[in-house]
Amino acid sequence: MFIRSKAHPFGRQLNTGTVRILLTGLYVLYPLGCFLQLVADETAGGTALSITGLAAVVAALVVFTVLAGSSLQRQTQEPENLLDERERDERNRAAFQAHSVFSGAVLVGVLYMMLTTDMANNDKLHLWRPTDGAHWNAIFGGLILLSFTLPGAIIAYGKAPAVAD
């Protein structure tokens, strides 16, 4: 997802280090926020944990919005005719790698769900699994954020950081 603005039609230029920090923040804050909200239902300090979790999710969405307007995200989302050869090559490599990583993550998730369901049905081991709509919304929200940002993350982490003179 790329958000084009009139002020920065080719995306806001962010250095590689900043993009890496933002991506790390996004990938840490969203699951942490979801986990805190999940734990809040089962603990005594539920309201404080729930608010903290909600704040972490909102912070992750703000980070996502900043990334969605960046030139790196433009590179991963623009049609091929708007990119130069280098950008197309980087984008195509990143998209291939992102597809592999994303498919692997989904496969691991499906296997986990199958195993936890079977074990719970046989009263052998009771691990956490999504039980209501809020759980599924958190999972699908995380998958959507990952699918939009993973190609850009692969490009950002694959680039050498700029060296200051």
Side-chain angles (χ1 to χ4, degrees), residues 20-156:
R20 288 176 181 172
I21 290 168
L22 290 172
L23 286 164
T24 302
L26 175 68
Y27 294 152
V28 169
L29 287 171
Y30 185 81
L32 178 65
C34 292
F35 176 75
L36 289 175
Q37 288 187 324
L38 176 67
V39 171
D41 296 338
E42 301 171 6
T43 61
T47 304
L49 284 176
S50 182
I51 290 171
T52 304
L54 181 61
V57 169
V58 168
L61 295 176
V62 168
V63 168
F64 176 73
T65 303
V66 171
L67 287 169
S70 72
S71 59
L72 183 69
Q73 197 64 14
R74 177 197 70 82
Q75 181 181 350
T76 63
Q77 301 295 320
E78 288 274 53
E80 284 198 8
N81 63 343
L82 298 177
L83 300 173
D84 64 27
E85 270 184 45
R86 180 193 55 79
E87 289 175 327
R88 275 195 307 269
D89 288 345
E90 280 183 346
R91 191 266 303 271
N92 291 341
R93 269 192 305 277
F96 178 76
Q97 291 173 351
H99 174 71
S100 298
V101 170
F102 189 81
S103 297
V106 170
L107 177 64
V108 167
V110 169
L111 288 173
Y112 175 84
M113 290 302 302
M114 287 173 42
L115 291 173
T116 56
T117 301
D118 286 345
M119 285 188 269
N121 289 342
N122 294 326
D123 286 329
K124 291 186 179 178
L125 182 63
H126 293 281
L127 298 172
W128 180 87
R129 59 188 171 152
T131 55
D132 61 26
H135 298 161
W136 287 107
N137 287 340
I139 290 169
F140 288 132
L143 288 173
I144 289 169
L145 290 174
L146 185 64
S147 70
F148 280 134
T149 60
L150 195 53
I154 289 171
I155 292 173

